[in-house]
Amino acid sequence: MTSTESGQRFLEDVAPLIETGIRAVLQAPDPHSEGLYDAMRYATFSGGKRLRPLLVLAGARAVGGSVAAALPGAVAIELIHTYSLIHDDLPAMDNDDFRRGRPTLHRAKGEAMAILAGDGLLTLAFEVLAQATAAGVPPERVVQAVAVLSRAAGPQGMVAGQAADIDGDAPFTMEQLQYLHGKKTAALFEAAASLGPILCAADPDAVDLLAQFGRSFGLGYQIVDDLEDQDKDAGRMSYPVLAGVAGAVENARRYFDQASAIALRFPQGDALAVLADMVRSRLDSPVH
Ligand code: GRG
């Protein structure tokens, strides 16, 4: 089996575990909260690619760790990602009516329930992560994982990026855009790539290196997203607007090359490399 095949096999094998893990924590504990849980499930099970949880588990594999230890991190990060999309779609933010081809949560269940479902997913994520001790993760590693994830999601990470996006006044500079992408998108990918190694008690150098993988991956990912959304984002500042389409493609490739080079340094970095190649290949689409 080639390393690409073994990486792909790993990702296929763990994908159902991620679904089961998420579903297990989104069961209403009592009939009174069924409406809230129904809203949280509506947003969570709607065809997301599960990129961040796959990165968590691929990162665990890279350091020879167990899927069981990393799974709480995989579930937690997808809950946070889903919350961010729900809140990003709200009338006060992007005011979007559709996501993943379906009405957004506030369109389907009302704005108040969408806000609460987002709040619920965000807080539940940390409960799930805190319970990683039940999978045998040492308490100090759980604390480290909580610190990394909360920092990436919070006012030093994704929330800061979203605030900068909302505040953004034209003209926009490349420096401002890099800040925005770093916080809004790359911070969570950086956490995704380091959570598995943290929960699997990898050494600090490996954790740092995989955090760098996640950062490069995330910065590249946001450029791909900007390139694909050029029509939707017309009039809005984006990477291709500032760097030109060819410049955007070139810089995204550079980020994925950096990520792949890091993945190759790990004997079991195959699944990370497959994920980087998968997103990188979107740059070959004729859309750009
Ligand atoms: C509301 C605090 C708060 C933050 C919102 C995530 C976000 C910040 C905004 C969404 C808009 C956007 C383009 C964010 C950049 C990250 C990104 C490309 C999200 C889409 O991620 P995918 O492609 O989505 O992994 P799926 O649908 O596959 O889950």
Side-chain angles (χ1 to χ4, degrees), residues 267-285:
Q268 292 188 82
D270 50 4
L272 287 175
V274 166
L275 288 169
D277 282 350
M278 216 172 76
V279 181
R280 190 187 203 277
S281 69
R282 282 162 58 179
L283 292 164
D284 303 330
S285 122

Side-chain angles (χ1 to χ4, degrees), residues 12 59 76 95 126 158 184 199 237 240 242 271:
E12 281 161 22
N95 195 16
F126 289 101
M158 188 172 65
K184 191 170 118 170
L199 292 168
M237 201 34 74
L242 278 181

